Amino acid sequence: MTVLDARALNRATLARQLLLERADLPVLDAVGHLCGLQAQEPQGPFAGLWSRLRAFDPAELSGLLTGRRVVRTHLMRRTVHLVTADDVVAWRSRHDGMLRQRVLGVHRRELAGIDLGALAAAGRAVMADGEARSMPELARAVAEHLPAAEPRPLGEMLVAALLPTVQVPPRGLWRTTGGARYAQLPSWLGREIDPLSPDVSDPVGQALVRRYLTAFGPAAPADLRAWCGLAGLPAAVSALRGELVAFRDERGRELLDLPDAPRPHPDTPAPVRFLPAFDNAILGYHDRSRIIDDTHRPLSVAGARVVLVDGRVAATWTVEADTVLVTPLRRFSRADRTAVAEEGRAMACFLSDDRSDRVRVAASPG
């Protein structure tokens, strides 16, 4: 079985994630290709798409949100994702059990004794008027009928698990701030959520596996599980094995992939890329060593914005007063500093609507 080293996996990941070269794709198609984008930080998807698309207009993404063709919703791993309307309709029921268990993992004690069916019914009754509500507003309204329960665990269980919900605009629009207010997915989209299929081969899971490998492969089942939060999708993986190819990584893990998916030569040049906090390219794997050193792995869950140099996490970045500030994590060559500064100036222009191209790259450590 062919062994793919970390550099080969890195170049495959960059190609699938549209980070090896910017793509000429409509924004809706890019969101779909990526299986959604992490969106805990409301402005994060704009930076993520700017780094991936050749002619990205942030107004186009805002228009897709207000036009209800993409939505902000709790989905993979119970984190907020920006996904297409078609995908959330197809995938939401498959995630129901995982979403419920993840909320219980945080609030099991506070929700002990609560009838989740009754809680869901109470939540639907409150939301039946079609008005968007904040989580505290919904929780307080429901808590009137469940006086023994604390509002926050009720609210989290409702908006993240029991009720398929979206965070409605202006939350998540370009250069716009606004608290999270929730509407029910079916009423927001005018479409019902697809029911869970009784087919034991898990057709929705199979679609997820194919889509995941398209955007993240080659990958192990553990990587798939880390990305979506579902329990490995064993029936789906088993049903698809005949159409997949297999490799091994340097640690001996079996990696699965689509036979015709791009796997560029390991020596393919990789440009500098600025990524937002919690970017898919890093969080989409259990073994993240293909793109980030193990010593820097905590940055991937701490909300740090990172810079890729030669395809790997090599710096963090922030913005202050329209200036992009870059802090290297390793020694930069002169060519590295030049390339990082150039891409940093372009990012500063994007974020400031061309008012500023200021960038400052700090001294390398050591």
Side-chain angles (χ1 to χ4, degrees):
M1 191 179 293
T2 301
V3 174
L4 299 177
D5 63 19
R7 191 172 176 90
L9 291 174
N10 173 268
R11 292 316 194 249
T13 295
L14 298 180
R16 312 292 174 90
Q17 284 288 306
L18 312 180
L19 293 168
L20 202 55
E21 59 178 308
R22 285 182 165 93
D24 290 312
L25 282 178
V27 173
L28 184 65
D29 292 350
V31 174
H33 168 81
L34 295 166
C35 305
L37 292 95
Q38 292 275 153
Q40 290 99 311
E41 288 194 354
Q43 297 297 298
F46 293 93
L49 288 169
W50 176 84
S51 287
R52 289 171 164 92
L53 299 181
R54 186 163 285 115
F56 173 61
D57 180 358
E60 186 177 348
L61 180 57
S62 289
L64 291 171
L65 278 162
T66 56
R68 310 189 186 195
R69 300 185 69 190
V70 300
V71 298
R72 293 172 50 84
T73 187
H74 292 273
L75 200 61
M76 280 72 81
R77 304 183 307 281
R78 195 175 75 90
T79 55
V80 178
H81 272 70
L82 187 80
V83 296
T84 69
D86 287 345
D87 282 345
V88 75
V89 165
W91 295 350
R92 182 51 167 80
S93 293
R94 188 63 182 78
H95 288 72
D96 282 352
M98 177 274 294
L99 294 170
R100 188 176 300 114
Q101 288 304 312
R102 294 231 167 179
V103 178
L104 286 174
V106 177
H107 296 297
R108 190 174 301 277
R109 180 181 59 82
E110 296 96 323
L111 293 170
I114 299 296
D115 183 328
L116 296 184
L119 176 58
R124 284 192 294 269
V126 172
M127 300 293 285
D129 59 6
E131 293 294 321
R133 289 174 170 81
S134 68
M135 187 177 74
E137 289 170 346
L138 175 59
R140 285 194 297 269
V142 170
E144 294 177 4
H145 307 287
L146 298 164
E150 298 179 17
R152 182 171 182 83
L154 296 179
E156 289 196 15
M157 178 58 81
L158 285 168
V159 303
L162 296 182
L163 303 182
T165 61
V166 297
Q167 294 183 356
V168 303
R171 183 75 165 178
L173 300 183
W174 178 237
R175 297 188 175 284
T176 302
T177 58
R181 300 185 67 80
Y182 296 86
Q184 293 195 88
L185 258 169
S187 62
W188 181 254
L189 296 179
R191 301 163 61 184
E192 292 299 322
I193 304 300
D194 290 349
L196 193 61
S197 171
D199 188 333
V200 294
S201 70
D202 191 6
V204 176
Q206 291 183 47
L208 279 167
V209 172
R210 290 191 189 94
R211 294 281 298 280
Y212 173 74
L213 292 177
T214 298
F216 294 88
D223 296 317
L224 170 67
R225 181 168 59 248
W227 166 69
C228 63
L230 302 174
L233 303 171
V237 172
S238 178
L240 289 176
R241 271 193 176 272
E243 64 182 70
L244 302 178
V245 293
F247 304 93
R248 290 203 183 276
D249 65 13
E250 294 175 298
R251 304 183 184 191
R253 299 189 314 157
E254 182 186 47
L255 307 176
L256 301 175
D257 204 5
L258 303 169
D260 298 324
R263 289 179 289 275
H265 191 280
D267 292 335
T268 303
V272 169
R273 290 289 184 258
F274 281 62
L275 300 184
F278 311 113
D279 192 85
N280 308 40
I282 300 173
L283 293 191
Y285 304 94
H286 172 70
D287 181 359
R288 300 172 187 166
S289 62
R290 67 179 67 193
I291 198 166
I292 186 170
D293 294 347
D294 287 343
T295 54
H296 298 144
R297 183 182 172 107
L299 294 173
S300 64
V301 294
R305 303 170 182 174
V306 300
V307 182
L308 303 184
V309 178
D310 193 25
R312 299 189 62 80
V313 172
T316 60
W317 67 281
T318 59
V319 179
E320 291 182 11
D322 287 338
T323 301
V324 170
L325 309 176
V326 179
T327 303
L329 297 169
R330 61 163 176 79
R331 181 165 295 280
F332 279 1
S333 68
R334 180 175 297 179
D336 290 339
R337 294 183 70 86
T338 298
V340 168
E342 182 179 355
E343 188 72 0
R345 282 191 287 272
M347 174 62 85
C349 288
F350 169 70
L351 294 175
S352 68
D353 286 338
D354 292 323
R355 293 192 308 274
S356 168
D357 65 352
R358 293 190 297 272
V359 62
R360 187 163 71 243
V361 182
S364 298

